[in-house]
Amino acid sequence: MGSQRPKMVAYAKADVEACEYLGPEGVYWSKGNRIYRSDDPDGRLELIGAVPWSGVRRMLGQVRLGRRLARQNVYNVVPLDQSDRIFFSFATEVGVIEGGAVKLIDNRPRKSRLLRNGMAVMPDGSVLFGEYLDNAERGRIHVFRLPAGESKIEIAHSFAEGDIRHIHSVNWDPYAARVVIATGDVGDECKLLSFSADFTECAAVGEGGEDWRMISPQFTSDSIYFGTDAQYQVNAIKRYDRRSGMSISLAKVNGPVFYSAPCRQGWLFATAAEMCVSQTTPEAILYYVDPADDTVTPIANFAKDYLSTKYFQFGLLSLPIITRPQEVIPISGTALKGIDGKFFAVT
């Protein structure tokens, strides 16, 4: 018999558009280039920083559709172990907020985006993240490290030319004490790789084809749960068994799975309304995975709005980074009817 399932409830939070982080340090939020903090989901918002922007970016960023068109959004807001130091990504920028000042870090060989929830904070306080860019020529792709307390990025690992297109996410697996990286996009480029913390040793959890194309895995002592991000085959939420080395499909889902997050008992996985070949219904759906019996239950669904996915983004449900299970999880939408830039909550 499974545990009690979470429920969707009404929720409103004025003046912000996404919840970025839930943890013991508080709740972090964003709207455009601005980052806010509150003590809890219902607490008063405090502006803690605004990422510099100018020209066309600033003009487009003044309105919601402009932000969607220009992809002017903050992602990956995470407080670090050092006091008053917060990592963030914004469009193709990365930086830290320290002592109330926003500092962009610009020593990467080239700028690229990070997918939401695509970075990892390591036990030593450093931050790992990878390059997510078009890379049609299949050149070298880097994993970067921002050392604890530093303001310069270093290359932690590089994938050889022709190996992968880009990196979907970098994750810390606390049960195996390993860095787990999801890559894409085509054929053998689709991999889930497990590295030692110093990147001197690598093992493939799984690779080859869209069965192993993913963005956001979740970890337990004996399993890795993930949703596939397939473009051409029906997507599924799966569980990889560490002992047997086998993965099983728990349930088929309506579209590519982009984001996931832990809740009190189990995990939330959100599909995107990408409108690709594999999409079975034109909506983003939030699913709950119950680890007690591996059942998968849809708990909220929102139809794609009428605007172009090419110019005004896929229909997305944005889940925060969660470092401690929460009673209330604010979730916002992008390009979804009735919830674009607005919230509901899972409780």
Side-chain angles (χ1 to χ4, degrees), residues 316-328:
L316 301 172
L317 293 171
S318 297
L319 279 61
I321 294 171
I322 299 176
T323 58
R324 177 185 292 175
Q326 303 288 319
E327 294 292 348
V328 177

Side-chain angles (χ1 to χ4, degrees), residues 32-33 51-63 66-67 70-73 90-93 104 111 113:
N33 69 326
V51 185
W53 59 5
S54 60
V56 174
R57 284 172 46 160
R58 182 172 184 175
M59 179 182 67
L60 290 172
Q62 301 309 305
V63 296
R67 291 192 289 277
R71 273 61 170 175
Q72 299 297 295
N73 301 300
F90 172 74
T92 60
E93 310 280 359
L104 297 180
K111 292 183 179 181
R113 294 182 183 273

Side-chain angles (χ1 to χ4, degrees), residues 268-283:
L268 302 173
F269 285 86
T271 61
E274 188 174 340
M275 314 312 290
C276 55
V277 174
S278 65
Q279 196 92 40
T280 60
T281 61
E283 57 189 344

Side-chain angles (χ1 to χ4, degrees), residues 80-337:
L80 304 177
D81 288 342
Q82 298 81 11
S83 175
D84 197 27
R85 183 173 165 90
I86 300 157
F87 178 87
F88 69 86
S89 63
F90 172 74
T92 60
E93 310 280 359
V94 297
V96 295
I97 301 174
E98 191 168 17
V102 175
K103 302 176 182 179
L104 297 180
I105 301 173
D106 58 3
N107 70 310
R108 288 175 294 167
R110 59 190 173 188
K111 292 183 179 181
S112 65
R113 294 182 183 273
L114 286 70
L115 291 183
R116 179 179 292 278
N117 304 4
M119 44 72 68
V121 179
M122 298 289 284
D124 66 359
S126 64
V127 177
L128 292 176
F129 60 95
E131 291 185 294
Y132 181 78
L133 69 169
D134 184 67
N135 193 27
E137 71 282 7
R138 300 311 196 263
R140 291 173 69 86
I141 290 290
H142 304 300
V143 180
F144 296 112
R145 177 187 287 109
L146 176 62
E150 299 294 326
S151 58
K152 293 293 183 181
I153 288 168
E154 59 191 36
I155 295 174
H157 177 75
S158 294
F159 289 90
E161 291 185 12
D163 194 4
I164 63 171
R165 183 180 184 182
H166 49 215
I167 293 170
H168 287 169
S169 65
V170 180
N171 311 272
W172 175 245
D173 179 352
Y175 300 96
R178 306 271 292 185
V179 178
V180 175
I181 297 180
T183 68
D185 267 335
V186 179
D188 290 341
E189 297 173 343
C190 301
K191 306 176 186 182
L192 189 65
L193 302 173
S194 175
F195 291 86
S196 58
D198 61 2
F199 287 92
T200 59
E201 191 271 327
C202 174
V205 177
E207 59 185 327
E210 292 192 321
D211 286 336
W212 291 100
R213 180 174 170 173
M214 72 187 74
I215 296 174
S216 181
Q218 295 290 331
F219 305 98
T220 70
S221 60
D222 56 9
S223 303
I224 301 175
Y225 289 81
F226 64 94
T228 60
D229 173 37
Q231 301 296 293
Y232 300 103
Q233 67 185 41
V234 175
N235 284 281
I237 294 175
K238 299 184 175 186
R239 179 174 64 82
Y240 169 82
D241 184 87
R242 296 182 193 267
R243 180 172 297 180
S244 68
M246 302 293 291
S247 68
I248 61 171
S249 177
L250 305 182
K252 294 179 179 178
V253 294
N254 77 306
V257 176
F258 274 26
Y259 309 129
S260 67
C263 51
R264 281 288 183 191
Q265 295 175 323
W267 297 273
L268 302 173
F269 285 86
T271 61
E274 188 174 340
M275 314 312 290
C276 55
V277 174
S278 65
Q279 196 92 40
T280 60
T281 61
E283 57 189 344
I285 300 180
L286 185 68
Y287 293 89
Y288 168 64
V289 180
D290 188 338
D293 54 12
D294 279 349
T295 55
V296 178
T297 306
I299 58 175
N301 62 294
F302 300 91
K304 173 72 180 71
D305 68 12
Y306 63 90
L307 295 174
S308 164
T309 57
K310 179 178 180 181
Y311 296 108
F312 292 101
Q313 301 191 352
F314 302 146
L316 301 172
L317 293 171
S318 297
L319 279 61
I321 294 171
I322 299 176
T323 58
R324 177 185 292 175
Q326 303 288 319
E327 294 292 348
V328 177
I329 302 175
I331 298 172
S332 62
T334 296
L336 297 171
K337 291 181 180 178

